[in-house]
Amino acid sequence: MPELPEVEIVARRLNDALRGAAIESAVAPGINALKTFDPPLAALAGREVAAVGRRGKNLVVRIDGLRGGDGAGPPLALLIHLMSAGRLQLYGKRAGPRDRTSRLLVRLHDGRELRLREFGSKQAAWVKLLRAEELERDEALAKLGPEAWPDPPEPSGLGELLRAPRPLHALLRDQRTIAGIGRSWVDEILWGAQLSPFKRGGDLQGEDLGRLREAIVTTLGGAIEHYERTVSLPIPDKLPMPLRVHRHEGEPCPRCGTKLQAVHFEDYIIAYCPHCQTDGRVLKDRRMLRLLK
Ligand SMILES: [Zn+2]
C-alpha cells in the first residue's frame, strides 16, 4: 500500500520526467476508475503537464490551461488515488495493447505514455479530472487533515488533532486527522516514538507529543531519503519499503533486542515492541479489535 513516502517519490520522479510534456490523448479503459465526466478526458489533448505533486496519499498531475481559439480552457488537474494496488508508471514507448490492469492511459506527443495500472483482483484505484480551481474543494482533499510531512503540526496542535478516545494506531491512520500515514508507516512511527499503538490519543502527555512529532518527521523523511537514493525511473511495481518493525514480528527489536510482537486483524497487522512500547505487555490476540474501529 503506497503511503506518503512512496507517493512522494513517485510524484518527484514523474515531475522531473513529465514537466512540460505535451499530451496527445487520454483514455480510461477501467470501467470504474474514472470518477468524473466533466471535463471529459478529451480535454487533455493538446495541453502540457505543468507539475506532478502529492497531497496526502493522492497524486496530483497539474495540467496547463489552453489560451485562445476554440480549444481555450482553464488549467486542469488529474487527482489519482492508488489505493492498495495501483501504480502510476511512465513508459518509454507505447506499452503494447491495453491489458486488464490498465485504468488510465495518457499518451504524450513524444511517444511516452503515462499509465495507471492496478494489480490484484479489486478495482479500487481511482482518477478524477477536475478544473484546477475545484481541486482543493474536491471531497477527497477537502476532508484531509494537515500533511504529516514535512511539517506536521507542533506538539500542541498535534495534541488537539489526536484528542480523541481512540487508539493512536487508528487515529494516525485516519486521513481526516493527519494526511499520509497508513498501515505500514504507523508501526514504524509509534515504535520510533516509543508509544503504544493502543494508547488513547486523549491520554497523550506533552512529552509524548514531542516524541511523536519527531518520530513522524524523521520516519517519513528517512523513508523519502532512502527512496531518493534507491528509486529511479522506471519505478518498480513493488517498491521495497525500508521497514524495521512492520512485518518484522518475531524478530529482535532494532533498539532493545526484545522479540517484536504483532496483533493480527482481518486486513492489517499491528507490530510493536513490548519493551519499548507497551510496558512489557504482550497483546497478541484480537481483544483490542473493538477499540480500533
Ligand atoms: Zn524494543
Side-chain angles (χ1 to χ4, degrees):
M1 160 84 70
E3 299 177 26
L4 189 153
E6 293 73 37
V7 177
E8 174 72 18
I9 196 68
V10 170
R12 288 183 186 185
R13 293 293 179 261
L14 292 179
N15 185 57
D16 291 343
L18 287 176
R19 234 173 1 186
I23 297 171
E24 185 180 281
S25 64
V27 291
I31 300 164
N32 302 317
L34 185 64
K35 299 293 185 196
T36 53
F37 56 90
D38 178 31
L41 279 181
L44 291 174
R47 292 167 180 260
E48 288 183 1
V49 176
V52 183
R54 175 193 65 76
R55 177 77 173 90
K57 299 189 221 171
N58 302 269
L59 282 158
V60 180
V61 182
R62 292 185 176 272
I63 314 286
D64 280 333
L66 285 174
R67 286 195 200 96
D70 294 340
L76 302 177
L78 282 165
L79 179 61
I80 300 169
H81 200 301
L82 303 172
M83 299 304 287
S84 60
R87 301 291 179 263
L88 190 63
Q89 184 61 275
L90 183 63
Y91 293 92
K93 52 183 182 183
R94 304 275 150 87
R98 296 169 192 178
D99 65 304
R100 289 194 315 171
T101 62
S102 289
R103 302 286 179 262
L104 175 76
L105 290 82
V106 180
R107 298 193 174 111
L108 305 173
H109 270 297
D110 59 19
R112 293 181 299 167
E113 185 180 87
L114 183 67
R115 196 183 275 236
L116 171 64
R117 303 176 75 204
E118 189 170 25
F119 302 93
S121 53
K122 280 191 218 155
Q123 282 206 11
W126 54 257
V127 179
K128 293 179 182 179
L129 179 57
L130 303 165
R131 292 171 188 86
E133 62 183 24
E134 299 169 335
L135 190 61
E136 287 297 327
R137 293 200 300 272
D138 183 84
E139 59 173 358
L141 298 194
K143 68 185 180 193
L144 290 182
E147 288 288 320
W149 182 90
D151 189 25
E154 293 298 319
S156 59
L158 198 57
E160 289 293 314
L161 286 174
L162 298 172
R163 200 169 55 187
R166 296 170 64 201
L168 274 181
H169 197 275
L171 275 173
L172 290 169
R173 284 186 292 117
D174 187 336
Q175 303 303 297
R176 296 166 298 187
T177 306
I178 188 162
I181 301 168
R183 293 165 191 175
S184 300
W185 289 109
V186 69
D187 280 351
E188 305 293 314
I189 288 167
L190 289 171
W191 177 82
Q194 297 185 248
L195 288 169
S196 167
F198 313 107
K199 190 177 181 110
R200 306 296 182 113
D203 294 339
L204 289 169
Q205 306 298 313
E207 61 192 50
D208 295 336
L209 289 162
R211 283 205 316 282
L212 179 57
R213 184 183 188 281
E214 177 71 16
I216 291 171
V217 173
T218 57
T219 303
L220 299 178
I224 293 166
E225 277 175 31
H226 169 84
Y227 292 140
E228 273 290 353
R229 290 192 302 272
T230 57
V231 176
S232 56
L233 291 175
I235 295 161
D237 288 335
K238 261 199 179 307
L239 212 53
M241 297 168 78
L243 301 166
R244 298 197 286 174
V245 177
H246 188 72
R247 297 195 205 122
H248 287 273
E249 61 268 25
E251 297 176 22
C253 166
R255 185 190 290 118
C256 74
T258 301
K259 190 160 108 176
L260 296 173
Q261 299 290 338
V263 188
H264 292 253
F265 297 94
E266 198 170 320
D267 52 359
Y268 64 100
I269 297 169
I270 297 177
Y272 65 96
C273 171
H275 178 75
C276 296
Q277 293 176 259
T278 57
D279 298 325
R281 281 176 300 151
V282 175
L283 306 151
K284 268 185 142 163
D285 58 36
R286 299 168 74 164
R287 66 194 144 144
M288 305 303 282
L289 181 58
R290 64 193 166 81
L291 300 178
L292 293 164
K293 292 288 184 196

